[in-house]
Amino acid sequence: MADALKIGIAGLGTVGSSLVRILGERANELARTCGRPITITAVSARDKSRDRGVDLSAIQWFDSAVDMANSADIDVFVELMGGAEGAADQSVRAALSRGLHVVTANKALLARCGVELAVMAEDKGALLNYEAAVAGGIPVIKALRESLTGNTVSRVYGIMNGTCNYILTRMEKEGLSFEACLKEAQRLGYAEADPTFDIEGNDTAHKLAILTTLAFGTQIAADEIYLEGISNISIEDIQAAADLGYRIKLLGVALRTDTGIEQRVHPTMVPHDSVIAQVDGVTNAVAIESDILGELLMVGPGAGGNATASAVLGDIADIAKSRPGAQRVPVLGNPAASLAPYTRAQMQSHEGGYFIRLTVLDRAGVFADVATRMADNGISLESIVQRAKGSEADSGSKTIILVTHATTEQSIRKAVDAIKSGTYLAGEPQVIRIERPKAF
Ligand SMILES: NC(=O)c1ccc[n+]([C@@H]2O[C@H](COP(=O)([O-])OP(=O)(O)OC[C@H]3O[C@@H](n4cnc5c(N)ncnc54)[C@H](OP(=O)(O)O)[C@@H]3O)[C@@H](O)[C@H]2O)c1
């Protein structure tokens, strides 16, 4: 049997400690599958005294991940600390400069400087693997980077944040407010004490930026993503969506258009009978539409120690099986130096259906005026309904809900501005884009 693959793990939290445990429990199977043992020779975290439920006594400890990357006797540097800057950034660069292979689950780091890191890795002939960075245990990186080679991808989209999907699912199933569901998610450990990054869509955006690069061969452009979170989704939206045959999901969507690549993260209505609409709770799903294969949909655990460690383990095993000097799969699907500059399709030209919910004063002529504003902007309506329920009727207001046929963002914004210029709105209009899966 070949020499052991020596790995150093920086970060022993949820993912890192699961990885250490699994590598211990599965040592024999892994050695057989990979043709060589995988041995942890170094670890690093902030607090050496913390009990992590795994035996680290025979492993060299580093207080500094950067020191470990610079000097440990390892072949692979596994970065499981997180964060776009600081120790994660410095240690990954140090490891790549030494020509070490790197495995990371860090979407924030890759979204910020993935191309630069890929160039470093490719210059050194090192592997940089990051399956766990997008959708946890779902092997979407491998699918895009390797399995779909030769396909032209037209659209990639998915539910990539378990916290948001959990909150939206609970709101729909229990009829609870956003705030109540967020508190519950925090109590259960699905949401951070500061949940902003998840609920405002930044986490999904980081993952989408990576998928866009793999799907379309462009440079990573996380700052060019149109972003809307779920914090202003109300129970009224969820219920109206359900009445109309839709569910609301936070989707990240990237697609090729005539004018560039559209990247957007926002609450989205998906048809109730589509498979992605049925993806509930913390589960993730990623769909890829391509010309040769057609539509591929992968559903599975997007987070958690075991699921994420499973993806990290797959990346380590790929390195263990690789031969020194062999041709490497480019880190970002295409050689990093050849990635095309990212051209952003303007959001104003986005085409699709829209859901609009208006709270209006209960006056004669309002319904007709709303319909006229839509028609003035060339928007054709799939449905328009009005209703006044309970407290609304008492307060003299009512709700008008519209679902449009495909139109442009520009037309919708003009129509909504025209409605806002009237004197009958009793609340801020809610506008939610509709996304239609092709096959499932
Ligand atoms: N958790 C998930 O379900 C999940 C899913 C997909 C991807 N990821 C990604 O996986 C990575 C790790 O996530 P996690 O949930 O395992 O995080 P975590 O539980 O917060 O653990 C982070 C670990 O990194 C260590 N650390 C932090 N800063 C450090 C520094 N400056 N030097 C050395 N060690 C440092 C911490 O040390 P101490 O323990 O001593 O404080 C801790 O062990 C992140 O990039 C995350 O985005 C996580």
Side-chain angles (χ1 to χ4, degrees):
M1 194 172 277
D3 289 347
L5 181 79
K6 291 177 277 187
I7 68 170
I9 303 175
L12 297 168
T14 308
V15 183
S17 52
S18 291
L19 179 68
V20 173
R21 182 180 43 75
I22 295 167
L23 281 167
E25 289 169 357
R26 305 282 161 97
N28 292 339
E29 293 96 313
L30 284 165
R32 200 169 48 246
T33 309
C34 299
R36 60 196 295 202
I38 297 172
T39 309
I40 307 170
T41 54
V43 289
S44 173
R46 282 176 299 206
D47 181 357
K48 190 177 180 184
S49 65
R50 182 173 295 174
D51 179 8
R52 301 167 193 278
V54 284
D55 181 9
L56 302 171
S57 54
I59 303 172
Q60 189 180 8
W61 176 276
F62 285 83
D63 285 325
S64 156
V66 181
D67 287 351
M68 184 175 101
N70 274 322
S71 62
D73 178 21
I74 52 177
D75 306 304
V76 185
F77 180 80
V78 183
E79 187 280 302
L80 299 172
M81 296 177 287
E85 293 169 351
D89 177 59
Q90 290 158 20
S91 59
V92 165
R93 285 174 195 271
L96 290 173
S97 310
R98 265 179 86 192
L100 299 179
H101 302 299
V102 170
V103 174
T104 179
N106 191 336
K107 56 252 165 184
L109 177 67
L110 292 166
R112 189 177 70 84
C113 54
V115 175
E116 223 183 305
L117 299 177
V119 168
M120 286 179 78
E122 287 167 11
D123 282 353
K124 292 285 183 179
L127 288 160
L128 169 56
N129 288 347
Y130 51 93
E131 186 61 72
V134 180
I138 301 176
V140 61
I141 303 296
K142 191 165 257 192
L144 276 170
R145 193 163 81 157
E146 298 172 42
S147 315
L148 292 176
T149 301
N151 278 263
T152 299
V153 175
S154 49
R155 178 168 64 157
V156 53
Y157 62 96
I159 297 169
M160 292 178 270
N161 184 276
T163 308
C164 290
N165 206 45
Y166 176 82
I167 292 172
L168 293 170
T169 304
R170 292 291 292 170
M171 286 175 76
E172 185 188 352
K173 294 218 186 307
E174 307 299 328
L176 296 170
S177 68
F178 169 81
E179 289 74 17
C181 294
L182 172 59
K183 276 208 182 95
E184 189 186 39
Q186 284 170 319
R187 188 174 53 77
L188 293 169
Y190 295 151
E192 304 281 340
D194 177 2
T196 317
F197 214 68
D198 288 321
I199 63 174
E200 295 308 339
N202 308 75
D203 175 73
T204 302
H206 284 159
K207 295 165 182 170
L208 183 69
I210 297 168
L211 294 188
T212 301
T213 289
L214 289 166
F216 303 114
T218 52
Q219 285 167 4
I220 296 176
D223 294 339
E224 303 277 352
I225 297 178
Y226 176 82
L227 200 58
E228 268 178 40
I230 62 165
S231 54
N232 76 341
I233 294 296
S234 67
I235 192 66
E236 287 78 19
D237 297 321
I238 303 248
Q239 283 163 352
D243 291 349
L244 293 163
Y246 293 91
R247 280 179 149 178
I248 300 177
K249 299 288 179 191
L250 182 77
L251 291 194
V253 186
L255 72 152
R256 196 191 288 278
T257 76
D258 292 342
T259 56
I261 307 289
E262 198 172 290
Q263 290 188 101
R264 48 195 164 82
V265 173
H266 51 69
T268 311
M269 306 237 307
V270 287
H272 189 275
D273 55 3
S274 60
V275 178
I276 205 156
Q278 312 301 322
V279 174
D280 281 344
V282 292
T283 305
N284 281 198
V286 182
I288 303 165
E289 291 168 2
S290 62
D291 57 351
I292 308 174
L293 177 66
E295 189 174 16
L296 172 68
L297 178 67
M298 291 183 276
V299 178
N306 271 354
T308 312
S310 164
V312 174
L313 188 56
D315 280 348
I316 296 170
D318 278 351
I319 294 171
K321 291 176 206 164
S322 70
R323 289 188 319 272
Q327 180 76 27
R328 305 286 188 212
V329 178
V331 174
L332 295 168
N334 291 285
S338 77
L339 291 167
Y342 174 81
T343 307
R344 179 180 185 161
Q346 289 310 307
M347 197 57 199
Q348 294 279 4
S349 7
H350 164 69
E351 284 180 32
Y354 287 78
F355 160 98
I356 302 168
R357 182 174 60 79
L358 304 170
T359 308
V360 299
L361 299 176
D362 193 3
R363 282 194 210 146
V366 169
F367 192 78
D369 189 78
V370 168
T372 304
R373 304 291 185 177
M374 291 288 145
D376 287 349
N377 286 284
I379 299 167
S380 125
L381 298 178
E382 187 180 298
S383 70
I384 173 167
V385 291
Q386 69 177 338
R387 52 185 169 203
K389 294 198 269 192
S391 58
E392 266 190 352
D394 298 340
S395 70
S397 66
K398 63 186 176 184
T399 300
I400 297 179
I401 291 162
L402 306 101
V403 173
T404 77
H405 288 299
T407 180
T408 63
E409 181 90 8
Q410 187 174 36
S411 305
I412 288 291
R413 288 190 191 176
K414 277 191 184 161
V416 170
D417 283 348
I419 289 166
K420 279 173 144 177
S421 69
T423 54
Y424 50 79
L425 276 184
E428 190 58 25
Q430 176 68 290
V431 177
I432 303 178
R433 297 168 194 84
I434 298 172
E435 197 78 21
R436 294 190 187 281
K438 254 193 187 150
F440 303 111

